Amino acid sequence: METKNTTTKLKCCILLTIFTIFHTSNSHSFDYADALTKSLLYFESQRSGHLPYNQRVTWRDHSGLTDGLEQGVDLVGGYYDAGDHVKFGLPMAFTITTLSWGVIEYRDQIERAGELEHALEAIKWGTDYFIKAHTSPNVLWAEVGDGDTDHYCWQRPEDMTTSRQAYKIDENNPGSDLAGETAAAMAAASIVFRKTNPHYAHLLLHHAQQLFEFGDKHRGKYDASISVVKNYYSSVSGFMDELLWGALWLYKATDNEEYLKYVISHAHCFGGTGWAITEFSWDVKYAGLQILVSQLLMDAKHKEHTQILKQYQSKAEYYICSCLNKNNGTNNVDRTPAGLLHIRQWNNMQYVSTAAFLLTIYSDFLRGSNQKLECHGGSVDHEEMLNFAKSQVDYILGANPMNMSYLVGYGPKYPSKVHHRGASIVSYRENKGFIGCTQGYDNWYSKEEQNPNVLVGALVGGPDCHDNFRDQRDNYMQTEACTYNTAPLVGIFAKFSEMEDQKERSKTLVASY
């Protein structure tokens, strides 16, 4: 009898432990699976070109169907980066790299959530365009449209009357940052498609290798070659981070030692082991690079490079510790009173989503290698790191002083006046009457009513440093959304969704006893 009681008590203890592991103190409960579904819908809203038969965002229609025509090249397709209609190559490529990385890390979770096909479609819409834009080994079309003229107009993309001039980089007009990031995007995507579409994966890898060679051989910043981009996506960090980034993704895609040697030999002179950064963005790749390099330490075959790899890792950990507020003094990322990471006034959520993504990946790395992170402010285990990443995601979804979901279309309250031309004007599918450049400003931009079309899955710029948010169309610093804001969330929504499922199963298991 005593043995039976002891066994029963032991079972209860084990079950209680399981329950405790998955239990969180946060009183908010979020449907991460729903957030995942909505985040992938957003990319369909941003599509340029001829929309496919299975387009789910029905308020959109075909647009930009003559892109590249003036230059004698087919540049139809790709993504609009935000609320305007310029196709900017650098942020588009970063969006695809990040989406691909999320699928590489959390493919199983995305698939179990039933969203893998949509994730692959989102990636392929970008890479199909990059294949078109890479018209020869040393030519990459970098931009379609002009930000200055585009911003004079408030039109639906289906009505566009603004310039669709295209701009390219080549041997005489280099752009190593753009070439390196596009190479990274195509290399990462090739890993994603390797099993399901090997021919396409091989094609992407071919383009990635050519682009990297072009970017490395003909070095220069793309905004020096294409001046019209300077006011919008100026490459402040230069091109060295993108070349290291591109080389590393090519190594992961090919296992070719030459690419690893590039990352090792250029580690110091290109800043990979020198720059300690507190942001990861479309412009600055160092933190992502350093975390990706750190993962190589888990493989014994990289033992000869341990010294350099650990130097990369120390910079990765500087980034992580700064996000966790455990660096020394002023070397931490600021936070709002409610705990949201705050880097900049303009579109701050892009830095929050990338930070949550990198923290989640590094948490997995620590758990897999059975390590703790040693910061100046103390040691951190993988659970604490993951919990902080989750707190940032939960803030996005509504655990904040405004009780506002900053992911549009998710939850009972979210921004309804997003700074977005297509969403703020009556759908072209409903009313095909032409809306002119200034007519859009006069009749739609200044309206106090909410947008007629919901930009589902868009992550807007978010609140200010005091957690305040003003939902107005002209408040573009806070209400405009970008593709690279949402992209890092796809993989971690899938991970947190599975964690919630496991927690619910543990509750059921405990209840059954």
Side-chain angles (χ1 to χ4, degrees):
M1 192 67 178
E2 184 62 29
T3 306
K4 186 177 179 182
N5 286 340
T6 304
T7 305
T8 304
K9 286 177 183 175
L10 184 60
K11 281 184 179 177
C12 288
C13 286
I14 291 169
L15 290 168
L16 187 61
T17 303
I18 293 170
F19 177 75
T20 304
I21 288 170
F22 292 113
H23 179 71
T24 63
S25 58
N26 193 342
S27 60
H28 294 269
S29 180
F30 296 106
D31 186 344
Y32 300 107
D34 184 46
L36 169 62
T37 297
K38 287 179 163 64
S39 67
L40 286 165
L41 271 170
Y42 169 59
F43 294 98
E44 296 190 19
S45 299
Q46 296 303 110
R47 283 171 170 171
S48 181
H50 195 281
L51 303 185
Y53 72 93
N54 61 347
Q55 169 82 8
R56 295 176 295 162
V57 178
T58 55
W59 53 268
R60 282 296 323 283
D61 210 331
H62 314 309
S63 63
L65 299 182
T66 61
D67 283 357
L69 188 65
E70 291 178 37
Q71 288 75 29
V73 59
D74 178 7
L75 296 176
V76 176
Y79 287 110
Y80 304 119
D81 72 303
D84 52 17
H85 303 136
V86 185
K87 294 193 299 203
F88 291 105
L90 187 58
M92 195 193 306
F94 179 69
T95 295
I96 300 304
T97 309
T98 316
L99 268 176
S100 298
W101 192 4
V103 173
I104 290 166
E105 295 286 344
Y106 304 113
R107 187 187 193 104
D108 291 345
Q109 291 92 329
I110 294 171
E111 186 167 27
R112 282 193 283 271
E115 292 294 339
L116 181 59
E117 197 58 39
H118 293 134
L120 298 184
E121 286 173 1
I123 293 167
K124 194 171 184 292
W125 195 266
T127 51
D128 282 352
Y129 175 76
F130 298 147
I131 290 169
K132 288 181 173 185
H134 186 213
T135 49
S136 65
N138 293 346
V139 175
L140 177 65
W141 292 88
E143 181 179 334
V144 179
D146 168 23
D148 291 340
T149 57
D150 183 272
H151 284 198
Y152 283 118
C153 280
W154 195 263
Q155 286 178 294
R156 301 174 296 197
E158 295 85 358
D159 290 329
M160 267 190 292
T161 56
T162 49
S163 166
R164 300 308 286 170
Q165 181 169 343
Y167 304 86
K168 66 181 177 179
I169 55 170
D170 56 27
E171 293 173 23
N172 298 318
N173 304 282
S176 303
D177 29 27
L178 177 61
E181 183 60 61
T182 311
M186 296 175 104
S190 78
I191 300 171
V192 170
F193 289 107
R194 187 181 289 157
K195 288 182 181 177
T196 56
N197 195 342
H199 172 74
Y200 188 66
H202 181 75
L203 178 64
L204 290 175
L205 206 49
H206 174 70
H207 281 280
Q209 289 172 311
Q210 283 191 341
L211 279 167
F212 177 76
E213 186 178 342
F214 161 50
D216 189 39
K217 187 175 180 181
H218 303 280
R219 293 181 185 174
K221 286 174 60 177
Y222 92 119
D223 59 7
S225 297
I226 303 170
S227 59
V228 294
V229 81
K230 280 188 175 179
N231 289 334
Y232 304 96
Y233 288 103
S234 183
S235 182
V236 177
S237 72
F239 58 78
M240 290 185 247
D241 51 339
E242 277 89 4
L243 287 178
L244 289 170
W245 182 238
L248 184 56
W249 276 112
L250 276 163
Y251 174 63
K252 288 181 73 69
T254 64
D255 212 26
N256 183 332
E257 287 288 323
E258 290 305 309
Y259 293 116
L260 178 61
K261 286 177 184 174
Y262 188 98
V263 174
I264 297 299
S265 63
H266 291 77
H268 177 68
C269 61
F270 276 15
T273 56
W275 280 106
I277 299 291
T278 56
E279 70 176 71
F280 177 48
S281 67
W282 59 265
D283 180 30
V284 189
K285 312 296 155 52
Y286 284 114
L289 163 75
Q290 290 153 355
I291 280 172
L292 200 60
V293 170
S294 300
Q295 292 179 325
L296 301 180
L297 287 163
M298 294 181 72
D299 197 328
K301 72 177 181 179
H302 301 121
K303 196 171 182 180
E304 65 176 295
H305 302 301
T306 298
Q307 185 182 354
I308 300 294
L309 296 181
K310 281 194 172 293
Q311 289 176 31
Y312 272 106
Q313 185 185 29
S314 72
K315 301 303 180 185
E317 293 186 340
Y318 177 94
Y319 170 84
I320 297 292
C321 293
S322 69
C323 290
L324 294 171
N325 202 26
K326 287 183 179 289
N327 265 342
N328 189 15
T330 58
N331 299 322
N332 293 313
V333 177
D334 289 338
R335 296 187 191 180
T336 68
L340 184 74
L341 294 171
H342 193 270
I343 302 278
R344 283 190 186 83
Q345 184 180 5
W346 194 316
N347 189 18
N348 182 62
M349 279 300 189
Q350 64 174 304
Y351 309 109
V352 177
S353 64
T354 54
F357 182 59
L358 294 187
L359 285 158
T360 302
I361 288 172
Y362 207 73
S363 168
D364 290 342
F365 168 74
L366 290 182
R367 186 188 61 207
S369 55
N370 196 27
Q371 296 181 60
K372 286 188 176 183
L373 170 65
E374 298 299 329
C375 298
H376 184 272
S379 64
V380 183
D381 62 21
H382 71 90
E383 283 185 71
E384 183 180 346
M385 193 177 298
L386 186 63
N387 285 337
F388 180 72
K390 188 172 178 293
S391 76
Q392 300 300 293
V393 172
D394 288 353
Y395 186 110
I396 287 170
L397 295 181
N400 57 66
M402 301 289 293
N403 292 314
M404 166 85 74
S405 165
Y406 294 106
L407 190 78
V408 178
Y410 178 89
K413 182 184 176 185
Y414 49 82
S416 63
K417 300 173 188 175
V418 181
H419 182 92
H420 188 277
R421 287 157 176 75
S424 68
I425 303 174
V426 63
S427 169
Y428 183 80
R429 294 280 183 98
E430 289 181 26
N431 182 355
K432 290 184 169 57
F434 176 75
I435 295 173
C437 217
T438 56
Q439 185 185 352
Y441 272 115
D442 294 341
N443 297 348
W444 296 96
Y445 180 76
S446 56
K447 268 193 171 184
E448 282 300 313
E449 289 87 349
Q450 64 185 36
N451 289 351
N453 310 304
V454 180
L455 194 66
V456 174
L459 177 59
V460 298
D464 64 17
C465 60
H466 301 293
D467 298 296
N468 297 317
F469 179 79
R470 187 169 57 87
D471 185 14
Q472 291 295 332
R473 205 168 290 116
D474 62 357
N475 182 22
Y476 44 81
M477 285 191 182
Q478 294 188 325
T479 63
E480 189 167 25
C482 301
T483 56
Y484 45 86
N485 293 17
T486 296
L489 295 175
V490 169
I492 52 180
F493 279 154
K495 179 183 174 69
F496 291 147
S497 174
E498 184 162 272
M499 285 174 61
E500 285 298 304
D501 287 345
Q502 289 171 338
K503 188 170 81 171
E504 288 304 313
R505 284 197 295 271
S506 73
K507 284 181 181 178
T508 304
L509 196 57
V510 169
S512 68
Y513 277 84

